[in-house]
Structures are given as C-alpha cells and as structure tokens.
Amino acid sequence: MRYTFWVSTMAMALAWGTLAPAQAAPRFYEGAPMAYASAVERRDGGVVLAFLRENGEVNGYYCQCNGISEKRMNLDKYGQASIEAVFQLDLDSEGETTFVLSRSANSGAAYGLHAYRYERSGGKMFKVPALQPALDAIVRGATTMDEAQVRAALASLQLIDYSIAYAPTSVAGFDAIEHAHGKLAGYFNIDGELLPGKPADAPAFAYKKTYQEKDGHYLTVTYLLGKGWEGGRAPSYHVKWITWETQPQRFAGSQDGPFIEYDVNCCVGSVFARGLYAQGKRTGVWHYEEPNTIRSSGAFVDDKAEGPWTYASGDETTTGMMQRGQRTGRWEVRPGVAEWRAADMHSYTGYDHFVKDRLDGPSERRAGGVVQWQGTYVNGKKQGQWVEPGGGGNYVDDIKQGPWKKSTPDGGWQVLTMLNGKPDGKLEQYAADGRLELVEHYRLGVLDGTMESFYPDGKRRYQGTFADGKRDGAETLLYPDGELPQFHRNWHMGVLHGVNIENFQNGKPKQIGAYNMGRKTGRFQYFRDDGQLIEETMY
C-alpha cells in the first residue's frame, strides 16, 4: 500500500507541476524587445551578446552564458538607433573581434561602427580604441552600409595588432597618426630587401607606410611582424619606428628628422629610443630606455656616440666619455635606479677605466662603503691580485691562478689553490667563526683524494676517498662522539664494493653485509638495537 500510495502521490505532484524537472533560468534577453534579430554568440569564452530596446534607445549587453555566470554586463550604448549588423572577424593574432554596425534614427541617418574584444583573464568585453579612427572612416558620409561593405573595407586594411597601446611620443605629428590609414611604401624581408609585392606563402618580415609628405620628406612608420600568427591565426604587426624619411622604399638609411623606436611587450608599446637623424645618421642627444632594465643617454656625432654618456640599471649607474662610439678614460659608478632594484640586489659605487671600449686599468666596486671587487684589467682581462667577495686571489689573463680565498653562502670561507681556473690540490672550508668544517682534495677541478668533514666541536664527522670524481675506497660516517661509526662501507670507482656495516648509536650492529660491484653478495644480517638478529638473507 505504501508503495502504491507513493506512486500516486508522485503522479499527482507531477501533474500539479510541483516536482517538474528544473528549468534553466531565462537569459537576460529572453522576453525583452530586441533591437537585433537574435542574440549573437562569440566563438571564444561562451560569450553571448544581445541588443535591447529600452526607453526608446538601444543598449548592448553580454553575459558569459556558459555556466560560469549568467550575469548581464554592459557592452555599449547606441542611443536612438537600429543595429544593422553584428559579426565576428579575426583581424590579427589576438583572435576574434566583434563588430557592431548601427544606424542613427535621427536626421541624417549616420552610421556608427565599433569593435569589441573579450579579455579572458578579466572575463570582460572591451572596445578597441586603436581601431576606431579606421572604423569611423569606413562609415563616414555613407548613405548605405551593410556587413559585406564593412568586411570589404576591413580586408583592405594593413594588418596590425590593434590591442597594443602605444605610449605618447610627444613629437608633433607622430601621435596623430592613424595607423589604419596611410600609403603603403612596400614589404620587406628579414634582410631588409624590398619585396615585389605582398608575399603569398608567408607574412613579410616588415612593411612601411607613409602618412605625410613635406619638402621631399615622408612621415614613415615601419611595422614589424609580431609573434603568434602561426597555426592558422591572422598575422599581426606592431609599430617599430616612426620617423621622416627621404626614401621610404628603403628599409633603412634615409631617416632625416625626429625618430622614435618602440619596444613592444605583451599589449604595451613603450618608447625605447628617442632622437634625431640627419641624412641617415644619428645626431644630437639621444635617449634609450628598456623598462625596468637599462636606461642610457648621450650625444651622437656622425652616427657615433661622442662625449658624456650615462648608463643606468638597477644595481649601478655609470657615467663617462665616449669617443667615436667607444668608452674611454675613467667611468664613475654610482647607485642605480632604485625602483628597478630587486630586494636582494646591491647598489654599487666605484669606477672603471677604458681604452677603446675595453676595460683597461684599475676597477672597483663598493657596497655600503665596503670593497666587493677591486683589481686591474689589462686589455679587457683581469690581471694580477684581485679582491672579491669574501677574499680574492690572482688572475692571469682573466683566469684564476694560485692561492685563492672565497666566501661561502653562510658567511664562512674557503682556502684553495686554483690551476687554470679550477681547484687543484687541497681545499679547506671554514665556518663564519673560524672553525674548520671541510677538507677536500682536487685534481684539475675534480675531487681526487681524501675528504674529511668535522662537527662544530672539531670531532671528525666523515672520512672518505675519491678518485677522478668518484668515491673509491673506504668511507666512514661517525656519530657526534667522533669515534663510533654510523656506517662504514667500501667503494670502487663510484660503485659499492666490499664490506658494508651500519651501527646503532649504542654501538651494536644494525646491518652487516657486503657488495660486489654494486650488487649484494653473500650473507646480509639485520639486527635490533639490543643486538638480537631479526633477519638474515643470502645473496
């Protein structure tokens, strides 16, 4: 009866709708007055766009309608207008771009065209401002416009990564350039050679466009091929140089006027170089900056650095004289750029000497007033006695030779002999308080001979022998009393060979056995700490 009653109750509940299957929540646009025929779904991220009529105006919205979130988010406002077309297009290697063509309902019936992209990391749609001037030009003055016409106009644009935001140059005319416009000057290969036309098999290494002509000079932008276009993606280019040129069909050599070079990292274009060209050669004061890495400034004469120059990084700033593009004389060192300095990076002061751009003469670095490096260069190589962190030693033609003292990470030091830049002979390592910790022997940089280590109280901790970098012979690890072996074993050229004994700290054996060239052989015995045999195995 209970079973029958339960089935009857279920049937009634389903009939009443109280236990009907759960229905998905309606999407934000369902049942709302649509300004476009249907919602539009992008290929990436499960993003759905819809355009609604609200209070006589058209508003665009979107949601990540893929189960992550159904929340409605604002896309854009179009005012009193109609939505004529919504479509997707891959303009560059950054992926899908959504285009919305609208038409004003006011007198004149002007068209509007906007582009949007989806940022996966933030989960939001955003406008593409770098592309807007080109979009405005496509619809400006048009009496009719549809998706096909917009696609055709976009196809005529030179490829450029529109997601990059370029820093202002502060050069008259440069910042006003609309990169979607201009006149093509030519395509170039990686060797800077002018190509007969746009390559069909693979993207060109670069292309150039001109935007203005004045007295035989052309305002020219050079665009370099970016990464990420492989795998079927549309190739995209980024701005590399902006300058005036007399022969823009040449890849380089005809620059004449202000010059800007951009360094592109991810989606930011920062000004890397700023200066002036005269008939293809750098002249006057120039500034270079690679963000968070290095900054330099100085003058050029006839395309060669000349006079005072400064180079700054996170750890130091160097200032000195350049002569025909080469450092010369004494260069002073002072602290670097503080905001570029990592937490574990020192700030140095000191000096160097140069002859024809090679280190030649005394050199020094101090940190907090304490000498870190001090010595002499001869023709670009360290020579003679040098002070280095924790000690120092002798150099011959930039190679360490003879007695040396080196610091260890824990504040101690090592005393050793170097032969052709490698440890040779006895090495002794001391703790920060002067205690002997380790003794090793080397032959041409390879462990060869006895090795010993010691407990803080001076008692021996370890003793073994190496041959050609491999353990060879007896090896013993002692308990802190310095007398009782924790283990004693034998090696032959890096392989266990011979008797192998382990002991408990009370002196009783823990394991007794033997190896033959790395394999257990004969009787292996295992004991408890009271000396009782618990296992015996024959091999």
Side-chain angles (χ1 to χ4, degrees), residues 37-161:
S38 63
V40 178
E41 184 169 355
R42 286 173 54 91
R43 297 194 307 268
D44 54 356
V47 175
V48 177
L49 300 90
F51 302 85
L52 308 182
R53 294 194 179 278
E54 298 174 325
N55 300 321
E57 296 186 342
V58 174
N59 296 317
Y61 301 98
Y62 68 97
C63 72
Q64 293 177 289
C65 304
N66 54 1
I68 297 177
S69 172
E70 297 286 337
K71 180 182 177 181
R72 185 183 80 173
M73 290 180 279
N74 296 324
L75 177 68
D76 212 342
K77 296 180 180 294
Y78 303 91
Q80 295 180 346
S82 59
I83 303 299
E84 301 294 311
V86 182
F87 62 95
Q88 325 291 340
L89 188 65
D90 289 347
L91 277 184
D92 52 36
S93 59
E94 292 301 306
E96 189 175 20
T97 302
T98 298
F99 291 89
V100 177
L101 176 65
S102 62
R103 188 175 190 182
S104 173
N106 298 324
S107 59
Y111 286 92
L113 182 60
H114 297 88
Y116 308 87
R117 282 182 171 169
Y118 177 66
E119 183 184 18
R120 287 182 178 273
S121 59
K124 293 184 178 181
M125 298 284 294
F126 64 95
K127 274 187 175 181
V128 186
L131 186 56
Q132 195 57 51
L135 302 183
D136 292 341
I138 290 174
V139 298
R140 186 178 295 122
T143 56
T144 61
M145 184 63 61
D146 58 21
E147 178 180 337
Q149 290 173 284
V150 173
R151 284 182 177 272
L154 291 172
S156 68
L157 298 178
Q158 294 296 328
L159 296 170
I160 183 173
D161 187 342

Side-chain angles (χ1 to χ4, degrees), residues 432-454:
D433 60 4
R435 293 179 293 102
L436 180 63
E437 292 182 318
L438 176 69
V439 177
E440 296 175 331
H441 289 81
Y442 287 85
R443 183 169 59 86
L444 296 177
V446 177
L447 283 165
D448 195 277
T450 59
M451 174 189 287
E452 296 177 286
S453 66
F454 302 89

